[in-house]
Amino acid sequence: MNNFKKSLTTFLSLFIILSVDAQEATNADIMRSNGKIYVVVAIIVTILTGLFLYVASIDRKLTRLEKEQIKK
Amino acid sequence: MIQKFWWKILAFFLLLYTCIYGFFVKVPRLDDRMKETIRNMFFHVPMWFGMMILLTVSLIYAIKFLKNPTLKNDAYSTAFAATGIIYGVLGLITGAIWANYQWGMPWSGDPKQNGAAIAILIYMAYFVLRGSMNDEDKKARISAVYNIFAFFMLFPTLWILPRLTESLHPGGQGSEGNPGINGKDMDMHMRSVFYPAVIGWTLLGVWITSLRFRYILLADQTNNA
């Protein structure tokens, strides 16, 4: 759980840094080029990463329960 | 393979690749309506491929259960069917969204749409059937038999009937091949994203399925302890 929280916080802070960056940047930066499609890509990658982290955390919880079950 | 973790990481990177490169890969311009929506091939179509693979695995475990009735075979069969249906429902919804802009309305009674809806309803009855019985052995045996029946209804509704009539989906009338996709419309660039997408989405489905059957087996052990 601690590992999961840590990775989530790291991940979220990464996006705060990115968003601060975006406010300061001019119109010529990469996020605003190509019809701003990179914004959509960033959102989809965020959702995908979040979902995978969530599924992985459920996976870890199940593994722990299974190990406890074997010990009994 | 199911206990290892490398394929989960593989699933993540394949989907990461799909979700990034899928938006930048050069796609053919087929007509003025299709435009960029052809990129849905990387998201909508893999749902159906994934559903087909997951339901096939479900069928294999149903047959295995009838030969060797263990809780494990039943849990595998149910879990794969459940994820398969989720993929099918997502396929229908994403298809309806795409159809709204490509064919003018979300549901136009296209034979492929109707067939897919019927197939999913038949599979939903599988869970109604399971839920209606309390005797565990009977539940598992009857649902395994029903699973085989449901799978062989998938074939006419998805693969045969839509080919026999006019369909809005590419293909149709039997001559152009698969009524879901027209392989000729996909060039090499699209294929380089499409196949990884199919593998990635399917692996994600297998992962979610594995969580479900592990939960079923754990719950059984806890109840018996």
Side-chain angles (χ1 to χ4, degrees), chain A residues 29-66:
Chain A
D29 74 344
I30 187 165
M31 292 300 278
R32 284 160 217 273
S33 64
N34 213 340
K36 289 190 181 173
I37 190 73
Y38 288 98
V39 178
V40 181
V41 172
I43 284 167
I44 287 175
V45 167
T46 312
I47 291 174
L48 196 72
T49 316
L51 282 179
F52 265 84
L53 281 175
Y54 179 56
V55 174
S57 83
I58 298 174
D59 194 320
R60 266 204 299 273
K61 280 175 194 172
L62 270 173
T63 311
R64 197 165 53 232
L65 271 181
E66 279 166 350

Side-chain angles (χ1 to χ4, degrees), chain A residues 37-38 41 44-45 48-49 52 55-56 58-59 62-63 65-66 69, chain B residues 8 11-12 15-16 19-20 23-24 204 207 211 214-215 218 221-222:
Chain A
I37 190 73
Y38 288 98
V41 172
I44 287 175
V45 167
L48 196 72
T49 316
F52 265 84
V55 174
I58 298 174
D59 194 320
L62 270 173
T63 311
L65 271 181
E66 279 166 350
Q69 198 69 43
Chain B
K8 296 168 184 172
F12 177 68
L15 287 184
L16 205 60
C19 290
I20 297 172
F23 289 95
F24 299 111
L204 177 63
W207 190 3
L211 296 180
R214 280 163 68 190
Y215 164 74
L218 258 179
Q221 283 177 343
T222 330

Side-chain angles (χ1 to χ4, degrees), chain A residues 8-35:
Chain A
L8 198 68
T9 347
T10 322
F11 187 70
L12 289 178
S13 46
L14 184 80
F15 275 86
I16 293 168
I17 296 166
L18 272 181
S19 61
V20 170
D21 235 26
Q23 281 163 4
E24 288 167 355
T26 54
N27 279 347
D29 74 344
I30 187 165
M31 292 300 278
R32 284 160 217 273
S33 64
N34 213 340

